[in-house]
Amino acid sequence: DVQLVESGGGLVQPGGSLRLPCAASGFTFSSYWMHWVRQAPGKGLVWVSGINSDGSSTSYADSVKGRFTISRDNAKNTLYLQMSSLRAEDTAVYYCARDRSSAFDTWGQGTMVTVSS
Amino acid sequence: QTVVTQEPSLSVSPGGTVTLTCGLSSGSVSTSYYPSWYQQIPGQAPRTLIYSTKIRSSGVPDRFSGSILGNKAALTITGAQADDESDYHCVLYMGRGSWVFGGGTKLTVL
């Protein structure tokens, strides 16, 4: 079965850093674009970042540009989101998702990130 | 800043038909935006329903259909069931590796 499993969430102070891994299984990870999408409590989904299949091209929402870095290790079938200079408004459930035809066809269960002092 | 618009809430009677839309604050949605639709029960991960405007994701019943209606993308649910009561999200590909979600529609079946 195709599966994505996020981890690494937790409580972090404003200005702090956190790295979220997303472990992929059940498909040829190195063949797919991958994304991070977040959802603040009680709010809608927000696309955060995407990366192409070999990691050579990345893109970011304006709200995280310069603070977040997406990367991947195709040998380990793992996607990452390095988050720094975290703000209260970054508090959200973070989902990784697989790309298919410029959509998100498989989702992980999400990991909660809370930015608070 | 481009805003993707969705109805905040809609209701439908059991067995009825409802259409949810996904528009742009400026301009028209076309297939070039690769509109896709997701169903989400609060507290759970989203489930992909439709991608590339009208292609149903694996396992999605054919009472869910996608289209372009006028200047918007649309998700139509035909023969609504109680368990269709969920939040529905659309997303558009804006080009240059950028995607924008709408605010979501809360669908009530009553």
Side-chain angles (χ1 to χ4, degrees):
Chain A
D1 283 359
V2 175
Q3 194 172 15
L4 298 171
V5 179
E6 305 93 337
S7 59
L11 176 64
V12 60
Q13 292 189 339
S17 299
L18 207 58
R19 188 177 81 154
L20 306 181
C22 168
S25 60
F27 65 100
T28 305
F29 179 71
S30 60
S31 295
Y32 288 85
W33 273 72
M34 296 293 296
H35 301 271
W36 288 97
V37 176
R38 70 183 181 185
Q39 186 171 36
K43 302 295 187 182
L45 299 171
V46 176
W47 175 80
V48 172
S49 183
I51 186 168
N52 71 343
S53 58
D54 67 5
S56 61
S57 178
T58 60
S59 53
Y60 300 91
D62 287 344
S63 59
V64 307
K65 202 170 291 183
R67 300 188 298 123
F68 289 13
T69 302
I70 190 172
S71 63
R72 64 193 298 160
D73 185 335
N74 285 345
K76 295 183 177 179
N77 291 337
T78 303
L79 175 72
Y80 300 98
L81 186 67
Q82 177 69 47
M83 305 184 293
S84 60
S85 302
L86 282 162
R87 307 166 180 166
E89 55 264 36
D90 297 318
T91 294
V93 175
Y94 284 74
Y95 296 100
C96 66
R98 188 179 76 170
D99 186 296
R100 180 176 182 176
S101 299
S102 296
F104 313 110
D105 79 329
T106 301
W107 297 73
Q109 86 289 348
T111 188
M112 182 70 203
V113 173
T114 302
V115 184
S116 175
S117 55
Chain B
Q1 180 74 6
T2 300
V3 175
V4 175
T5 61
Q6 293 186 250
E7 299 84 3
S9 63
L10 289 170
S11 63
V12 61
S13 300
T17 296
V18 64
T19 297
L20 291 67
T21 68
C22 180
L24 286 169
S25 55
S26 177
S28 299
V29 177
S30 67
T31 56
S32 299
Y33 285 88
Y34 297 92
S36 53
W37 293 89
Y38 307 85
Q39 179 190 52
Q40 187 183 31
I41 297 169
Q44 296 187 15
R47 170 197 181 198
T48 307
L49 296 175
I50 301 285
Y51 64 96
S52 291
T53 307
K54 61 181 181 180
I55 301 175
R56 269 187 298 276
S57 191
S58 177
V60 173
D62 59 7
R63 56 199 181 78
F64 291 91
S65 62
S67 64
I68 299 292
L69 284 181
N71 62 350
K72 297 182 180 181
L75 173 71
T76 301
I77 306 173
T78 305
Q81 300 180 0
D83 60 4
D84 294 335
E85 185 162 296
S86 294
D87 296 326
Y88 290 84
H89 306 274
C90 74
V91 67
L92 302 178
Y93 177 57
M94 309 306 288
R96 298 183 181 181
S98 174
W99 284 258
V100 179
F101 279 91
T105 296
K106 183 178 182 61
L107 181 67
T108 301
V109 180
L110 48 72

PDB file of all heavy atoms in Angstrom, chain A residues 21-50:
ATOM      1  N   PRO A  21      10.291  14.977   9.160  1.00  0.00           N
ATOM      2  CA  PRO A  21      10.478  13.950   8.126  1.00  0.00           C
ATOM      3  C   PRO A  21       9.135  13.371   7.697  1.00  0.00           C
ATOM      4  O   PRO A  21       8.167  13.380   8.463  1.00  0.00           O
ATOM      5  CB  PRO A  21      11.312  12.876   8.839  1.00  0.00           C
ATOM      6  CG  PRO A  21      11.557  13.376  10.229  1.00  0.00           C
ATOM      7  CD  PRO A  21      10.542  14.453  10.500  1.00  0.00           C
ATOM      8  N   CYS A  22       9.102  12.860   6.485  1.00  0.00           N
ATOM      9  CA  CYS A  22       7.932  12.140   5.976  1.00  0.00           C
ATOM     10  C   CYS A  22       8.460  10.882   5.285  1.00  0.00           C
ATOM     11  O   CYS A  22       9.132  10.984   4.251  1.00  0.00           O
ATOM     12  CB  CYS A  22       7.143  13.009   5.011  1.00  0.00           C
ATOM     13  SG  CYS A  22       5.890  12.116   4.060  1.00  0.00           S
ATOM     14  N   ALA A  23       8.185   9.735   5.869  1.00  0.00           N
ATOM     15  CA  ALA A  23       8.654   8.465   5.326  1.00  0.00           C
ATOM     16  C   ALA A  23       7.650   7.918   4.327  1.00  0.00           C
ATOM     17  O   ALA A  23       6.460   7.798   4.640  1.00  0.00           O
ATOM     18  CB  ALA A  23       8.876   7.469   6.456  1.00  0.00           C
ATOM     19  N   ALA A  24       8.136   7.583   3.141  1.00  0.00           N
ATOM     20  CA  ALA A  24       7.278   7.078   2.073  1.00  0.00           C
ATOM     21  C   ALA A  24       7.514   5.588   1.859  1.00  0.00           C
ATOM     22  O   ALA A  24       8.649   5.108   1.986  1.00  0.00           O
ATOM     23  CB  ALA A  24       7.546   7.835   0.777  1.00  0.00           C
ATOM     24  N   SER A  25       6.459   4.878   1.518  1.00  0.00           N
ATOM     25  CA  SER A  25       6.574   3.452   1.212  1.00  0.00           C
ATOM     26  C   SER A  25       5.471   3.034   0.253  1.00  0.00           C
ATOM     27  O   SER A  25       4.447   3.721   0.115  1.00  0.00           O
ATOM     28  CB  SER A  25       6.504   2.611   2.496  1.00  0.00           C
ATOM     29  OG  SER A  25       5.268   2.824   3.155  1.00  0.00           O
ATOM     30  N   GLY A  26       5.710   1.933  -0.446  1.00  0.00           N
ATOM     31  CA  GLY A  26       4.690   1.375  -1.326  1.00  0.00           C
ATOM     32  C   GLY A  26       4.676   1.935  -2.730  1.00  0.00           C
ATOM     33  O   GLY A  26       3.792   1.579  -3.529  1.00  0.00           O
ATOM     34  N   PHE A  27       5.621   2.822  -3.042  1.00  0.00           N
ATOM     35  CA  PHE A  27       5.708   3.367  -4.396  1.00  0.00           C
ATOM     36  C   PHE A  27       7.147   3.815  -4.650  1.00  0.00           C
ATOM     37  O   PHE A  27       7.968   3.891  -3.729  1.00  0.00           O
ATOM     38  CB  PHE A  27       4.728   4.525  -4.592  1.00  0.00           C
ATOM     39  CG  PHE A  27       4.996   5.755  -3.765  1.00  0.00           C
ATOM     40  CD1 PHE A  27       5.632   6.859  -4.309  1.00  0.00           C
ATOM     41  CD2 PHE A  27       4.592   5.828  -2.437  1.00  0.00           C
ATOM     42  CE1 PHE A  27       5.870   8.001  -3.562  1.00  0.00           C
ATOM     43  CE2 PHE A  27       4.823   6.964  -1.674  1.00  0.00           C
ATOM     44  CZ  PHE A  27       5.466   8.059  -2.233  1.00  0.00           C
ATOM     45  N   THR A  28       7.444   4.105  -5.906  1.00  0.00           N
ATOM     46  CA  THR A  28       8.794   4.531  -6.287  1.00  0.00           C
ATOM     47  C   THR A  28       8.934   6.017  -5.970  1.00  0.00           C
ATOM     48  O   THR A  28       8.632   6.891  -6.785  1.00  0.00           O
ATOM     49  CB  THR A  28       9.046   4.257  -7.776  1.00  0.00           C
ATOM     50  OG1 THR A  28       8.800   2.874  -8.050  1.00  0.00           O
ATOM     51  CG2 THR A  28      10.495   4.592  -8.139  1.00  0.00           C
ATOM     52  N   PHE A  29       9.380   6.275  -4.757  1.00  0.00           N
ATOM     53  CA  PHE A  29       9.441   7.642  -4.218  1.00  0.00           C
ATOM     54  C   PHE A  29      10.201   8.581  -5.159  1.00  0.00           C
ATOM     55  O   PHE A  29       9.769   9.725  -5.364  1.00  0.00           O
ATOM     56  CB  PHE A  29      10.127   7.599  -2.842  1.00  0.00           C
ATOM     57  CG  PHE A  29      10.291   8.918  -2.166  1.00  0.00           C
ATOM     58  CD1 PHE A  29       9.196   9.599  -1.657  1.00  0.00           C
ATOM     59  CD2 PHE A  29      11.562   9.484  -2.011  1.00  0.00           C
ATOM     60  CE1 PHE A  29       9.352  10.827  -1.006  1.00  0.00           C
ATOM     61  CE2 PHE A  29      11.728  10.689  -1.365  1.00  0.00           C
ATOM     62  CZ  PHE A  29      10.633  11.369  -0.862  1.00  0.00           C
ATOM     63  N   SER A  30      11.278   8.101  -5.726  1.00  0.00           N
ATOM     64  CA  SER A  30      12.146   8.965  -6.530  1.00  0.00           C
ATOM     65  C   SER A  30      11.510   9.396  -7.844  1.00  0.00           C
ATOM     66  O   SER A  30      12.110  10.195  -8.579  1.00  0.00           O
ATOM     67  CB  SER A  30      13.470   8.245  -6.807  1.00  0.00           C
ATOM     68  OG  SER A  30      13.236   7.034  -7.503  1.00  0.00           O
ATOM     69  N   SER A  31      10.332   8.911  -8.151  1.00  0.00           N
ATOM     70  CA  SER A  31       9.669   9.266  -9.410  1.00  0.00           C
ATOM     71  C   SER A  31       8.640  10.380  -9.254  1.00  0.00           C
ATOM     72  O   SER A  31       8.051  10.817 -10.245  1.00  0.00           O
ATOM     73  CB  SER A  31       8.969   8.032 -10.004  1.00  0.00           C
ATOM     74  OG  SER A  31       9.899   7.041 -10.361  1.00  0.00           O
ATOM     75  N   TYR A  32       8.392  10.826  -8.035  1.00  0.00           N
ATOM     76  CA  TYR A  32       7.281  11.744  -7.788  1.00  0.00           C
ATOM     77  C   TYR A  32       7.717  13.074  -7.199  1.00  0.00           C
ATOM     78  O   TYR A  32       8.582  13.141  -6.324  1.00  0.00           O
ATOM     79  CB  TYR A  32       6.284  11.116  -6.813  1.00  0.00           C
ATOM     80  CG  TYR A  32       5.477   9.985  -7.409  1.00  0.00           C
ATOM     81  CD1 TYR A  32       5.986   8.687  -7.433  1.00  0.00           C
ATOM     82  CD2 TYR A  32       4.211  10.214  -7.930  1.00  0.00           C
ATOM     83  CE1 TYR A  32       5.252   7.648  -7.977  1.00  0.00           C
ATOM     84  CE2 TYR A  32       3.469   9.177  -8.468  1.00  0.00           C
ATOM     85  CZ  TYR A  32       4.001   7.896  -8.489  1.00  0.00           C
ATOM     86  OH  TYR A  32       3.256   6.874  -9.023  1.00  0.00           O
ATOM     87  N   TRP A  33       7.072  14.146  -7.658  1.00  0.00           N
ATOM     88  CA  TRP A  33       7.075  15.398  -6.918  1.00  0.00           C
ATOM     89  C   TRP A  33       6.405  15.135  -5.562  1.00  0.00           C
ATOM     90  O   TRP A  33       5.517  14.310  -5.449  1.00  0.00           O
ATOM     91  CB  TRP A  33       6.239  16.446  -7.658  1.00  0.00           C
ATOM     92  CG  TRP A  33       6.944  17.236  -8.701  1.00  0.00           C
ATOM     93  CD1 TRP A  33       7.370  16.811  -9.919  1.00  0.00           C
ATOM     94  CD2 TRP A  33       7.259  18.630  -8.627  1.00  0.00           C
ATOM     95  NE1 TRP A  33       7.929  17.848 -10.620  1.00  0.00           N
ATOM     96  CE2 TRP A  33       7.881  18.994  -9.846  1.00  0.00           C
ATOM     97  CE3 TRP A  33       7.062  19.630  -7.665  1.00  0.00           C
ATOM     98  CZ2 TRP A  33       8.324  20.280 -10.124  1.00  0.00           C
ATOM     99  CZ3 TRP A  33       7.498  20.914  -7.934  1.00  0.00           C
ATOM    100  CH2 TRP A  33       8.126  21.227  -9.153  1.00  0.00           C
ATOM    101  N   MET A  34       6.833  15.912  -4.567  1.00  0.00           N
ATOM    102  CA  MET A  34       6.247  15.799  -3.239  1.00  0.00           C
ATOM    103  C   MET A  34       5.986  17.197  -2.691  1.00  0.00           C
ATOM    104  O   MET A  34       6.617  18.179  -3.101  1.00  0.00           O
ATOM    105  CB  MET A  34       7.173  15.035  -2.295  1.00  0.00           C
ATOM    106  CG  MET A  34       7.434  13.589  -2.674  1.00  0.00           C
ATOM    107  SD  MET A  34       5.972  12.539  -2.555  1.00  0.00           S
ATOM    108  CE  MET A  34       5.628  12.595  -0.799  1.00  0.00           C
ATOM    109  N   HIS A  35       5.056  17.271  -1.733  1.00  0.00           N
ATOM    110  CA  HIS A  35       4.648  18.566  -1.181  1.00  0.00           C
ATOM    111  C   HIS A  35       4.443  18.503   0.324  1.00  0.00           C
ATOM    112  O   HIS A  35       4.233  17.437   0.889  1.00  0.00           O
ATOM    113  CB  HIS A  35       3.304  18.994  -1.804  1.00  0.00           C
ATOM    114  CG  HIS A  35       3.318  19.134  -3.273  1.00  0.00           C
ATOM    115  ND1 HIS A  35       3.658  20.314  -3.906  1.00  0.00           N
ATOM    116  CD2 HIS A  35       3.054  18.240  -4.256  1.00  0.00           C
ATOM    117  CE1 HIS A  35       3.575  20.139  -5.214  1.00  0.00           C
ATOM    118  NE2 HIS A  35       3.213  18.887  -5.458  1.00  0.00           N
ATOM    119  N   TRP A  36       4.455  19.686   0.919  1.00  0.00           N
ATOM    120  CA  TRP A  36       3.986  19.887   2.279  1.00  0.00           C
ATOM    121  C   TRP A  36       2.782  20.823   2.238  1.00  0.00           C
ATOM    122  O   TRP A  36       2.820  21.856   1.550  1.00  0.00           O
ATOM    123  CB  TRP A  36       5.072  20.472   3.156  1.00  0.00           C
ATOM    124  CG  TRP A  36       6.167  19.511   3.493  1.00  0.00           C
ATOM    125  CD1 TRP A  36       7.380  19.384   2.874  1.00  0.00           C
ATOM    126  CD2 TRP A  36       6.159  18.523   4.537  1.00  0.00           C
ATOM    127  NE1 TRP A  36       8.110  18.380   3.466  1.00  0.00           N
ATOM    128  CE2 TRP A  36       7.390  17.839   4.491  1.00  0.00           C
ATOM    129  CE3 TRP A  36       5.231  18.148   5.522  1.00  0.00           C
ATOM    130  CZ2 TRP A  36       7.721  16.813   5.370  1.00  0.00           C
ATOM    131  CZ3 TRP A  36       5.539  17.136   6.398  1.00  0.00           C
ATOM    132  CH2 TRP A  36       6.772  16.470   6.324  1.00  0.00           C
ATOM    133  N   VAL A  37       1.759  20.452   2.963  1.00  0.00           N
ATOM    134  CA  VAL A  37       0.530  21.241   3.093  1.00  0.00           C
ATOM    135  C   VAL A  37       0.227  21.357   4.584  1.00  0.00           C
ATOM    136  O   VAL A  37       0.410  20.385   5.321  1.00  0.00           O
ATOM    137  CB  VAL A  37      -0.643  20.551   2.365  1.00  0.00           C
ATOM    138  CG1 VAL A  37      -1.956  21.316   2.583  1.00  0.00           C
ATOM    139  CG2 VAL A  37      -0.347  20.421   0.864  1.00  0.00           C
ATOM    140  N   ARG A  38      -0.223  22.521   5.028  1.00  0.00           N
ATOM    141  CA  ARG A  38      -0.524  22.669   6.453  1.00  0.00           C
ATOM    142  C   ARG A  38      -1.945  23.147   6.679  1.00  0.00           C
ATOM    143  O   ARG A  38      -2.598  23.669   5.764  1.00  0.00           O
ATOM    144  CB  ARG A  38       0.470  23.619   7.128  1.00  0.00           C
ATOM    145  CG  ARG A  38       0.343  25.090   6.747  1.00  0.00           C
ATOM    146  CD  ARG A  38       1.442  25.897   7.431  1.00  0.00           C
ATOM    147  NE  ARG A  38       1.353  27.329   7.128  1.00  0.00           N
ATOM    148  CZ  ARG A  38       2.255  28.225   7.528  1.00  0.00           C
ATOM    149  NH1 ARG A  38       3.325  27.844   8.229  1.00  0.00           N
ATOM    150  NH2 ARG A  38       2.107  29.490   7.222  1.00  0.00           N
ATOM    151  N   GLN A  39      -2.402  22.964   7.910  1.00  0.00           N
ATOM    152  CA  GLN A  39      -3.755  23.350   8.276  1.00  0.00           C
ATOM    153  C   GLN A  39      -3.744  23.841   9.719  1.00  0.00           C
ATOM    154  O   GLN A  39      -3.562  23.059  10.653  1.00  0.00           O
ATOM    155  CB  GLN A  39      -4.717  22.173   8.114  1.00  0.00           C
ATOM    156  CG  GLN A  39      -6.173  22.526   8.333  1.00  0.00           C
ATOM    157  CD  GLN A  39      -7.084  21.372   7.952  1.00  0.00           C
ATOM    158  OE1 GLN A  39      -6.768  20.196   8.151  1.00  0.00           O
ATOM    159  NE2 GLN A  39      -8.248  21.692   7.384  1.00  0.00           N
ATOM    160  N   ALA A  40      -3.925  25.135   9.886  1.00  0.00           N
ATOM    161  CA  ALA A  40      -4.019  25.704  11.223  1.00  0.00           C
ATOM    162  C   ALA A  40      -5.325  25.254  11.880  1.00  0.00           C
ATOM    163  O   ALA A  40      -6.293  24.923  11.170  1.00  0.00           O
ATOM    164  CB  ALA A  40      -3.966  27.224  11.151  1.00  0.00           C
ATOM    165  N   PRO A  41      -5.368  25.217  13.199  1.00  0.00           N
ATOM    166  CA  PRO A  41      -6.582  24.735  13.889  1.00  0.00           C
ATOM    167  C   PRO A  41      -7.831  25.475  13.444  1.00  0.00           C
ATOM    168  O   PRO A  41      -7.880  26.711  13.468  1.00  0.00           O
ATOM    169  CB  PRO A  41      -6.261  25.012  15.361  1.00  0.00           C
ATOM    170  CG  PRO A  41      -4.770  24.961  15.431  1.00  0.00           C
ATOM    171  CD  PRO A  41      -4.290  25.541  14.140  1.00  0.00           C
ATOM    172  N   GLY A  42      -8.814  24.718  12.974  1.00  0.00           N
ATOM    173  CA  GLY A  42     -10.084  25.297  12.549  1.00  0.00           C
ATOM    174  C   GLY A  42     -10.056  26.039  11.226  1.00  0.00           C
ATOM    175  O   GLY A  42     -11.047  26.683  10.860  1.00  0.00           O
ATOM    176  N   LYS A  43      -8.969  25.954  10.522  1.00  0.00           N
ATOM    177  CA  LYS A  43      -8.806  26.690   9.262  1.00  0.00           C
ATOM    178  C   LYS A  43      -8.690  25.750   8.072  1.00  0.00           C
ATOM    179  O   LYS A  43      -8.739  24.532   8.212  1.00  0.00           O
ATOM    180  CB  LYS A  43      -7.544  27.582   9.338  1.00  0.00           C
ATOM    181  CG  LYS A  43      -7.555  28.568  10.486  1.00  0.00           C
ATOM    182  CD  LYS A  43      -8.656  29.597  10.359  1.00  0.00           C
ATOM    183  CE  LYS A  43      -8.544  30.665  11.435  1.00  0.00           C
ATOM    184  NZ  LYS A  43      -9.638  31.666  11.359  1.00  0.00           N
ATOM    185  N   GLY A  44      -8.529  26.333   6.883  1.00  0.00           N
ATOM    186  CA  GLY A  44      -8.425  25.542   5.668  1.00  0.00           C
ATOM    187  C   GLY A  44      -7.002  25.062   5.394  1.00  0.00           C
ATOM    188  O   GLY A  44      -6.068  25.324   6.149  1.00  0.00           O
ATOM    189  N   LEU A  45      -6.885  24.324   4.302  1.00  0.00           N
ATOM    190  CA  LEU A  45      -5.586  23.809   3.894  1.00  0.00           C
ATOM    191  C   LEU A  45      -4.781  24.912   3.209  1.00  0.00           C
ATOM    192  O   LEU A  45      -5.335  25.758   2.504  1.00  0.00           O
ATOM    193  CB  LEU A  45      -5.774  22.638   2.928  1.00  0.00           C
ATOM    194  CG  LEU A  45      -6.523  21.422   3.473  1.00  0.00           C
ATOM    195  CD1 LEU A  45      -6.826  20.444   2.355  1.00  0.00           C
ATOM    196  CD2 LEU A  45      -5.712  20.743   4.560  1.00  0.00           C
ATOM    197  N   VAL A  46      -3.473  24.868   3.410  1.00  0.00           N
ATOM    198  CA  VAL A  46      -2.570  25.836   2.781  1.00  0.00           C
ATOM    199  C   VAL A  46      -1.367  25.086   2.221  1.00  0.00           C
ATOM    200  O   VAL A  46      -0.684  24.367   2.961  1.00  0.00           O
ATOM    201  CB  VAL A  46      -2.091  26.906   3.789  1.00  0.00           C
ATOM    202  CG1 VAL A  46      -1.072  27.833   3.135  1.00  0.00           C
ATOM    203  CG2 VAL A  46      -3.270  27.690   4.341  1.00  0.00           C
ATOM    204  N   TRP A  47      -1.121  25.243   0.932  1.00  0.00           N
ATOM    205  CA  TRP A  47       0.080  24.665   0.349  1.00  0.00           C
ATOM    206  C   TRP A  47       1.298  25.407   0.882  1.00  0.00           C
ATOM    207  O   TRP A  47       1.317  26.638   0.924  1.00  0.00           O
ATOM    208  CB  TRP A  47       0.017  24.762  -1.172  1.00  0.00           C
ATOM    209  CG  TRP A  47       1.272  24.306  -1.848  1.00  0.00           C
ATOM    210  CD1 TRP A  47       1.662  23.020  -2.102  1.00  0.00           C
ATOM    211  CD2 TRP A  47       2.324  25.141  -2.349  1.00  0.00           C
ATOM    212  NE1 TRP A  47       2.878  23.005  -2.731  1.00  0.00           N
ATOM    213  CE2 TRP A  47       3.308  24.290  -2.895  1.00  0.00           C
ATOM    214  CE3 TRP A  47       2.522  26.519  -2.402  1.00  0.00           C
ATOM    215  CZ2 TRP A  47       4.477  24.784  -3.473  1.00  0.00           C
ATOM    216  CZ3 TRP A  47       3.675  27.008  -2.975  1.00  0.00           C
ATOM    217  CH2 TRP A  47       4.644  26.144  -3.506  1.00  0.00           C
ATOM    218  N   VAL A  48       2.332  24.644   1.272  1.00  0.00           N
ATOM    219  CA  VAL A  48       3.519  25.232   1.874  1.00  0.00           C
ATOM    220  C   VAL A  48       4.718  25.188   0.930  1.00  0.00           C
ATOM    221  O   VAL A  48       5.402  26.198   0.720  1.00  0.00           O
ATOM    222  CB  VAL A  48       3.870  24.499   3.192  1.00  0.00           C
ATOM    223  CG1 VAL A  48       5.212  24.965   3.753  1.00  0.00           C
ATOM    224  CG2 VAL A  48       2.759  24.702   4.221  1.00  0.00           C
ATOM    225  N   SER A  49       4.979  23.994   0.377  1.00  0.00           N
ATOM    226  CA  SER A  49       6.200  23.832  -0.398  1.00  0.00           C
ATOM    227  C   SER A  49       6.128  22.579  -1.242  1.00  0.00           C
ATOM    228  O   SER A  49       5.404  21.637  -0.909  1.00  0.00           O
ATOM    229  CB  SER A  49       7.410  23.753   0.547  1.00  0.00           C
ATOM    230  OG  SER A  49       8.617  23.656  -0.172  1.00  0.00           O
ATOM    231  N   GLY A  50       6.871  22.577  -2.346  1.00  0.00           N
ATOM    232  CA  GLY A  50       6.948  21.412  -3.202  1.00  0.00           C
ATOM    233  C   GLY A  50       8.365  21.191  -3.696  1.00  0.00           C
ATOM    234  O   GLY A  50       9.181  22.120  -3.722  1.00  0.00           O
TER     235      GLY A  50
END
